[in-house]
């Protein structure tokens, strides 16, 4: 269906809903690279105005990719809940924005429409929102998940402790884990990106993490971010797998470029559930996404980067994950050019994920050749924390020496918790107090480092190969 508008005697035409969404999106280099961005700010403003008048039900009538051609589209349509959609079915995109922002709309009502929301609907409304709108609505959306602790409670901010090492040296990794724990990091997950995906190497890292968690009775979970097929192979061999990780995208073709499909993810989840390693719940999948991943695989079908990203959340939502995060600036300036675009993308992704019912976190990051710096990252983590972000990353010195990008450091969570009154996951907070790392008032203890933890970690690193 063609969408048209006439402004001061000048006519505008958008060939279909996919084109309209792309033209209405805020400027980003990914869409310029794909040749689908608005050609001017005037065209962008007109597209946003036209998009605001599109009925929400139109997204059910005009799929961006036909379901018969794409299994992510089939998933979106097959899981759509008409009853949950009913309260907003008569609204336009612009009216939906007002409904989300209205004080008359209860928070429970915002949560109640999750199953009736298609990701394209979430992406559409985000395109006509200011940053403060994205923050205000995301703050209304509480999503709670559990494995060995409780993630996502109101007033809480968790962290992934990311102790990557360029050679996967267990001593170096253990040292980073100790450093992170002493800063109160690691309640979301202690998660390692392995330098190599070999089963032997990944198994070594899994056993290292398991030994640390069991020895010190830490109420958290571990993950080695290997390809899902490697993790499945190791589960069959008896490796101590807590969370199953995989990068996912918003089209079948993009996921195929990752070497996965939905049936493989279902098999992996069932295999992990059979291990029964969770003590509080069975949310055990961990997904990462990022705007531009479908474009980089030439698998975007002409859909803009942010809408493709939102479609990835439909994939994640189908598997009840413990954690999902957008690695917002990781791909580089070809996709998000500068700090302004990275900040906007992070807020969009967080908004769409939380609105769709996901435990949304963000790797607030940039590559060294992007027009961004650590002050931009400070701005984004503060905005996300105000918006109720589930978790951020904790990387030694904010500099990932293995993946070669800039992220957030161990002390960044301390800053956010202090200035915004946020706390770690409750079970992890109690452990921090018990170990003497925190002082019982959500602050680092000023006393000596916990000798039991230090002595045991020394022994562990000495024994490591």
């Amino acid at each position: 269906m063609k969408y048209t508008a006439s402004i001061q005697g000048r006519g505008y035409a958008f060939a279909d809903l996919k084109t309209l969404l792309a033209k209405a999106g805020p400027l980003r280099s990914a869409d310029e690279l794909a040749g689908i961005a608005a050609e001017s700010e005037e065209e962008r403003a007109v597209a946003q105005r036209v998009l605001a008048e599109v009925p929400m039900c139109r997204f059910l009538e005009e799929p961006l990719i036909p379901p018969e051609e794409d299994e992510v589209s089939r998933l979106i349509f097959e899981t759509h809940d008409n009853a949950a959609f009913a309260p907003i079915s008569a609204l336009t995109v612009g009216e939906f924005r007002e409904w989300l922002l209205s004080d008359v709309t209860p928070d429970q009502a915002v949560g109640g429409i999750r199953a009736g929301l298609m990701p394209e609907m979430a992406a559409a409304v985000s395109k006509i929102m200011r940053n403060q709108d994205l923050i205000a609505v995301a703050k209304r959306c509480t999503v709670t998940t559990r494995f060995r602790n409780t993630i996502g409670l109101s007033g809480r901010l968790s962290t992934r402790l990311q102790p990557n090492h360029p050679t996967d040296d267990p001593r170096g990794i253990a040292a980073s884990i100790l450093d992170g724990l002493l800063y109160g990091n690691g309640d979301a997950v202690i998660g390692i990106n392995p330098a190599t995906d070999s089963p032997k190497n990944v198994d070594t890292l899994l056993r290292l993490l398991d030994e640390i968690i069991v020895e010190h009775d830490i109420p958290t979970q571990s993950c080695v971010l290997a390809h899902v097929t490697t993790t499945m192979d190791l589960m069959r061999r008896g490796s101590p797998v807590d969370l199953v990780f995989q990068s996912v995208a918003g089209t079948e073709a993009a996921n195929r470029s990752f070497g996965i499909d939905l049936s493989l993810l279902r098999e992996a989840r069932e295999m992990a559930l059979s291990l029964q390693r969770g003590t509080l719940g069975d949310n055990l999948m961990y997904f990462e996404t990022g705007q531009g991943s479908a474009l980089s695989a030439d698998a975007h079908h002409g859909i803009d980067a942010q809408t493709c990203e939102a479609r990835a959340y439909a994939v994640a939502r189908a598997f009840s994950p413990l954690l999902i995060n957008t690695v917002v600036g990781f791909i580089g300036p070809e996709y998000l050019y500068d700090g302004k675009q990275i900040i906007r993308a992070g807020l969009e992704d967080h908004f769409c994920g939380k609105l769709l019912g996901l435990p949304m976190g963000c790797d607030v990051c940039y590559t060294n050749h992007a027009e961004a710096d650590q002050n931009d990252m400070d701005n984004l983590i503060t905005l996300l924390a105000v918006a109720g972000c589930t978790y951020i990353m904790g990387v030694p010195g904010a500099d990932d020496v293995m993946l070669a990008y800039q992220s957030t450091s161990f002390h960044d969570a301390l800053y956010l918790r202090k200035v915004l009154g946020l706390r770690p996951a409750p079970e992890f907070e109690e452990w921090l107090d018990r170990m003497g790392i925190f002082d019982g008032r959500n602050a680092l203890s000023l006393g000596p480092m916990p000798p039991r933890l230090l002595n045991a970690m020394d022994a562990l690193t000495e024994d490591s190969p």
Side-chain angles (χ1 to χ4, degrees):
M1 175 178 175
K2 182 176 288 190
Y3 299 83
T4 60
S6 179
I7 307 295
Q8 296 181 338
R10 179 178 177 182
Y12 292 85
F14 307 97
D16 49 27
L17 188 55
K18 176 167 55 178
T19 302
L20 179 62
L21 286 167
K23 300 291 187 181
L27 178 66
R28 68 204 52 205
S29 50
D31 296 336
E32 291 183 304
L33 180 64
I36 58 176
E39 295 181 5
S40 67
E41 288 301 320
E42 182 177 278
E43 185 183 29
R44 179 172 292 107
V46 172
Q48 290 172 342
R49 176 174 170 177
V50 173
L51 179 60
E53 297 172 356
V54 172
M56 292 288 285
C57 60
R58 184 66 51 76
F59 293 90
L60 290 163
E61 301 163 356
E62 189 179 340
L64 303 191
I65 309 175
E68 60 271 20
E69 299 177 10
D70 181 89
E71 68 170 0
V72 176
S73 290
R74 287 198 297 277
L75 174 70
I76 290 168
F77 278 87
E78 289 170 358
T79 57
H80 180 260
D81 187 326
N82 280 318
F85 181 59
I88 59 170
S89 61
L91 303 181
T92 65
V93 172
E95 290 168 340
F96 180 46
R97 172 187 176 274
E98 298 304 314
W99 185 87
L100 288 170
L101 289 166
S102 174
D103 291 337
V104 176
T105 305
D107 291 354
Q108 296 89 334
V110 175
I113 63 169
R114 290 170 177 168
L117 270 183
M118 300 170 67
E120 293 89 344
M121 298 173 183
V125 74
S126 76
K127 294 177 187 297
I128 60 169
M129 285 181 155
R130 294 169 59 184
N131 286 2
Q132 66 175 250
D133 299 337
L134 300 173
I135 293 168
V137 175
K139 181 70 172 179
R140 308 185 73 174
C141 304
T142 301
V143 182
T144 305
T145 56
R146 293 177 176 85
F147 189 74
R148 291 201 188 99
N149 56 20
T150 307
I151 304 294
L153 293 171
S154 180
R156 305 278 177 169
L157 174 69
S158 296
T159 60
R160 169 187 159 188
L161 201 172
Q162 185 170 309
N164 295 347
H165 191 281
T167 63
D168 287 336
D169 180 3
R171 293 181 182 86
I173 288 170
S176 292
I177 292 172
L178 172 60
D179 191 23
L181 290 172
L182 292 173
Y183 276 96
N185 282 252
D187 50 340
V189 64
I190 303 175
I192 304 169
N193 295 91
T196 61
D197 201 55
S198 73
K200 181 180 179 181
N201 181 60
V202 174
D203 178 70
T204 297
L205 299 179
L206 284 168
R207 295 186 185 280
L208 170 68
L209 293 177
D210 188 60
E211 183 177 350
I212 292 171
I213 289 172
V214 171
E215 173 68 22
H216 303 290
D217 195 25
I218 308 173
T220 191
Q221 36 283 326
S222 69
C223 186
V224 177
L225 282 67
H227 192 270
V228 64
T229 53
T230 300
T231 304
M232 292 169 71
D233 180 49
L234 290 171
M235 282 192 284
R236 295 186 187 100
R237 301 184 191 185
S239 297
V241 173
D242 288 344
L243 305 186
V244 174
F245 168 81
Q246 182 55 47
S247 295
V248 296
T251 70
E252 178 180 349
N255 283 325
R256 196 182 305 122
S257 76
F258 291 154
I260 63 167
D261 57 24
L262 298 180
S263 64
L264 182 66
L265 295 178
R266 293 187 190 101
E267 183 182 355
R269 181 172 182 268
E270 291 303 314
M271 189 179 296
L273 284 170
S274 70
L275 302 180
Q276 299 183 326
R277 291 178 60 84
T279 55
L280 295 184
D282 59 4
N283 301 114
L284 46 70
M285 301 297 284
Y286 174 16
F287 296 114
E288 286 189 345
T289 64
Q291 289 193 27
S293 58
L295 174 61
S296 67
D298 194 24
H300 61 105
H301 295 265
I303 302 171
D304 66 272
Q306 192 243 332
T307 303
C308 275
E309 171 74 2
R311 284 171 55 93
Y313 302 158
V315 176
R317 186 169 62 172
F319 298 96
S320 303
L322 179 76
L323 306 167
I324 172 174
N325 69 266
T326 168
V327 192
V328 68
F330 182 73
I331 303 181
E334 300 83 1
Y335 300 88
L336 293 169
Y337 178 71
D338 57 15
K340 182 176 181 179
Q341 292 188 14
I342 292 171
I343 289 169
R344 174 68 190 191
L347 294 176
E348 289 170 345
D349 294 350
H350 179 255
F351 163 85
C352 289
K354 293 295 280 293
L355 191 61
L356 291 165
L358 286 166
M360 201 72 199
C362 185
D363 188 346
V364 178
C365 62
Y366 64 101
T367 58
N368 288 316
H369 62 307
E371 292 295 321
D373 60 27
Q374 211 64 38
N375 286 324
D376 294 313
M377 302 306 103
D378 285 352
N379 292 342
L380 181 52
I381 60 170
T382 305
L383 294 171
L384 286 169
V386 171
C389 187
T390 301
Y391 71 107
I392 61 170
M393 305 298 128
V395 178
D399 184 354
D400 193 306
V401 295
M402 194 279 283
L403 292 174
Y405 77 117
Q406 308 303 311
S407 185
T408 45
S409 72
F410 294 146
H411 72 266
D412 287 332
L414 293 177
Y415 146 71
L416 293 171
R417 288 166 178 167
K418 181 177 182 179
V419 299
L420 297 175
L422 302 172
R423 300 159 66 184
E427 302 85 357
F428 192 77
E429 182 182 32
E430 189 278 331
W431 180 83
L432 292 171
D433 291 339
R434 176 160 44 88
M435 294 297 294
I437 297 171
F438 274 18
D439 62 4
R441 296 172 297 175
N442 194 35
L444 284 180
S445 172
L446 297 179
M449 292 185 181
R452 175 171 170 261
L453 185 61
L454 286 173
N455 292 339
M457 292 292 285
D458 284 343
L460 182 66
T461 55
E462 288 171 3
D463 293 342
S464 297

